[in-house]
Amino acid sequence: MKNKQTNILVIGSGLAGAIAALTAAEENKKVILITKCKKLLSGNTPWAQGGIAYTAPKDSASLFKKDIINAGTKHSNEAAVHQLVTQGPKLIEDLLINKLSIPFQTDENKQFIFTSEAAHSVNRIIHCQDQTGLIIHEHIIKRIKNNNNIDIYENYTAIDLLTYSHHSQNSMDIYKKPTCFGAIILNNRSQGVFAVYADKIILATGGLGQLYLHTTNPPESKGDGIAMAWRAGARCFNLQYIQFHPTSLFHESGRFLISEAVRGEGGKLYNVYGKEFMKEVHKSGSLAPRDIVARGIHQALINTNHPCVYLDLSHKKKEWIKNRFPTIYKHCLDKGIDITVKPIPVVPAAHYSCGGIGVNLLGRTSLKRLYAIGEVACTGIHGANRLASTSLLECLVWGYIAGKNAATYKEEHDFPTISQWRQETKIIDPAL
Ligand code: SIN
């Protein structure tokens, strides 16, 4: 396949990549959007059940900021948190509510129904039942498909970033500032490899949950974006801060996220003996910050020598549960658990990488022309532990800002000559 050239190359089609691609395309830039999955609708975004933190009647940017910093155990980057809480609500309004018309749940007076999740001081999360990420993603993908400036490559994997120091045939380029100028791409079907040269490159490849035995993440969350950026020489940090979600379904078929919103709506955690053990761990009980609940459950498993704890919502009305949590209800029922009458067996599982490729407030990495957004990036917002329902919000804010900056920030963009990719079929060096 022939090499290609574009203004903006976006790698990864989750919410962050999708927003960045659309924003850059609307600035009249040519965009190539690639995903290694068979469909754009993939990655963690469609799996995001809980919702997106907005702003509630008795809320303020400073209260939201305080909640994020407390949940992050005071390791957060305050400037990034400030950007999130001040720009996030406006972008939800402009992009999600007004432009994309996302049907967030409202009451009979057309007012948003706000839900609660752990460590939020007020109920500020808006949602589309338990399918918030899926519905937002479907709406934005429709827009992307109708935009002539975006070329979509489904089933193509980025396998390496092109940099002056690693790929230029001009040996003098090693003395230039570390710069990325594209990526090497594999066509998953034909196995052909080609280069995409781009003025700017935006990495939005998501998280790394699949590095763990048990995760709430889809199969594509393998940390490949971080690996590529690391090889290219980009600065990465906070990678030790992996968030474990306290409640994933404990079932032989595999883990499945049981949203924190279940506890936000009154679900309680019990050990195998029916004891509400979290009451002894934290004053907020089952709704304590996520890291504290995950550790509380881990301790309960050890104390009881039982493989799971139980999350009970069965005191709520059956019809209400089915309507509020249709995805969780159906998934559990398929596994033989009717959550309207029985508690759900749950355990913690790897959920979110709080660290990643270090970026500034514009989403720019330590390599020139390379941006990173969404879970693959580390803005520093989440510190050591992410506050619930801030991941879609971060994708929205940094996706928009990085898309805009990549499209409008003028910097020299030359394309050094590189060696052609060689598809080796024989052993080149027997010593290797
Ligand atoms: C959940 O619904 O519990 C997950 C939401 C999140 O990780 O922010």
Side-chain angles (χ1 to χ4, degrees):
M1 205 161 169
K2 274 206 177 120
N3 294 341
K4 308 212 171 297
Q5 190 172 333
T6 187
N7 296 129
I8 316 281
L9 169 64
V10 180
I11 304 171
S13 66
L15 182 60
I19 291 274
L22 193 61
T23 306
E26 288 178 350
E27 290 288 333
N28 235 352
K29 295 292 172 192
K30 288 285 174 205
V31 176
I32 289 182
L33 172 60
I34 79 161
T35 172
K36 63 177 182 270
C37 298
K38 294 204 172 96
K39 294 272 163 257
L40 289 185
L41 191 77
S42 50
N44 254 317
T45 296
W47 292 40
Q49 296 173 356
I52 183 164
Y54 183 37
T55 184
K58 287 196 180 128
D59 204 359
S60 67
S62 57
L63 188 59
F64 188 13
K65 186 170 172 179
K66 201 165 128 212
D67 288 347
I68 292 175
I69 290 174
N70 282 341
T73 66
K74 303 203 166 49
H75 282 316
S76 300
N77 171 7
E78 198 179 334
V81 179
H82 185 77
Q83 175 159 288
L84 186 86
V85 300
T86 50
Q87 305 212 15
K90 181 160 170 28
L91 283 170
I92 290 184
E93 209 164 295
D94 292 350
L95 298 184
L96 300 189
I97 299 172
N98 296 334
K99 184 168 172 175
L100 294 174
S101 308
I102 305 297
F104 292 112
Q105 271 190 294
T106 53
D107 61 17
E108 55 285 358
N109 300 318
K110 300 217 173 342
Q111 300 299 310
F112 288 126
I113 300 175
F114 294 99
T115 194
S116 169
E117 287 190 67
H120 284 274
S121 300
V122 293
N123 294 6
R124 58 164 76 92
I125 296 154
I126 51 175
H127 54 93
C128 309
Q129 295 164 301
D130 60 359
Q131 303 169 329
T132 312
L134 175 69
I135 295 198
I136 295 175
H137 210 197
E138 282 172 345
H139 278 70
I140 190 161
I141 284 172
K142 220 182 265 171
R143 285 286 174 125
I144 283 178
K145 290 192 167 163
N146 285 330
N147 191 307
N148 291 332
N149 280 338
I150 305 178
D151 274 340
I152 297 169
Y153 285 62
E154 289 167 327
N155 217 352
Y156 286 81
T157 304
I159 52 179
D160 222 358
L161 294 171
L162 291 169
T163 64
Y164 287 165
S165 35
H166 296 87
H167 299 91
S168 173
Q169 283 191 340
N170 179 352
S171 60
M172 291 299 111
D173 277 353
I174 195 89
Y175 301 115
K176 289 185 176 166
K177 278 217 163 110
T179 301
C180 178
F181 60 93
I184 307 215
I185 309 293
L186 168 76
N187 177 337
N188 297 342
R189 279 169 291 240
S190 69
Q191 296 291 295
V193 173
F194 58 101
V196 175
Y197 301 103
D199 307 345
K200 309 276 174 44
I201 300 88
I202 302 181
L203 263 183
T205 48
L208 47 65
Q210 288 294 335
L211 301 186
Y212 289 80
L213 182 59
H214 296 302
T215 179
T216 59
N217 293 185
E220 53 271 27
S221 297
K222 293 179 181 150
D224 43 356
I226 291 180
M228 276 191 290
W230 180 267
R231 284 199 301 273
R235 188 169 171 238
C236 301
F237 49 78
N238 283 359
L239 287 165
Q240 70 277 30
Y241 296 136
I242 300 296
Q243 177 170 73
F244 278 69
H245 196 288
T247 58
S248 73
L249 178 66
F250 178 68
H251 192 267
E252 65 201 9
S253 61
R255 301 295 178 258
F256 176 78
L257 177 66
I258 307 294
S259 176
E260 200 156 288
V262 170
R263 281 173 284 133
E265 298 284 3
K268 296 274 183 294
L269 286 163
Y270 298 94
N271 72 13
V272 64
Y273 302 115
K275 181 173 173 189
E276 219 185 308
F277 59 93
M278 277 308 299
K279 276 187 169 169
E280 284 174 7
V281 179
H282 193 276
K283 62 179 184 336
S284 303
S286 297
L287 259 191
R290 202 173 265 187
D291 56 335
I292 294 173
V293 181
R295 283 196 288 268
I297 294 176
H298 183 67
Q299 193 58 49
L301 303 184
I302 293 168
N303 292 349
T304 58
N305 197 21
H306 188 74
C308 63
V309 295
Y310 296 89
L311 176 56
D312 192 16
L313 192 65
S314 63
H315 55 280
K316 291 277 201 182
K317 290 208 169 79
K318 186 176 179 132
E319 282 316 303
W320 182 90
I321 294 176
K322 284 166 72 174
N323 179 49
R324 176 66 182 85
F325 296 111
T327 312
I328 296 172
Y329 171 74
K330 182 168 180 319
H331 186 92
C332 291
L333 200 62
D334 287 349
K335 309 288 172 212
I337 305 156
D338 181 349
I339 68 168
T340 65
V341 293
K342 264 175 125 176
I344 313 167
V346 291
V347 285
H351 183 61
Y352 191 89
S353 168
C354 298
I357 307 163
V359 294
N360 67 10
L361 297 182
L362 300 169
R364 298 168 77 157
T365 70
S366 60
L367 296 191
K368 280 176 75 151
R369 293 164 58 183
L370 179 68
Y371 295 70
I373 49 175
E375 192 174 343
V376 74
C378 182
T379 58
I381 286 175
H382 309 303
N385 173 58
R386 183 173 61 82
L387 182 69
S389 285
T390 53
S391 55
L392 293 177
L393 188 62
E394 188 187 35
C395 289
L396 181 68
V397 174
W398 263 259
Y400 176 78
I401 290 175
K404 193 104 179 162
N405 191 267
T408 54
Y409 181 71
K410 290 194 188 3
E411 67 185 329
E412 204 185 315
H413 48 259
D414 54 343
F415 299 110
T417 309
I418 61 171
S419 310
Q420 267 309 308
W421 181 271
R422 286 185 305 164
Q423 202 85 352
E424 306 293 3
T425 49
K426 294 198 193 110
I427 293 175
I428 308 298
D429 179 352
L432 296 173

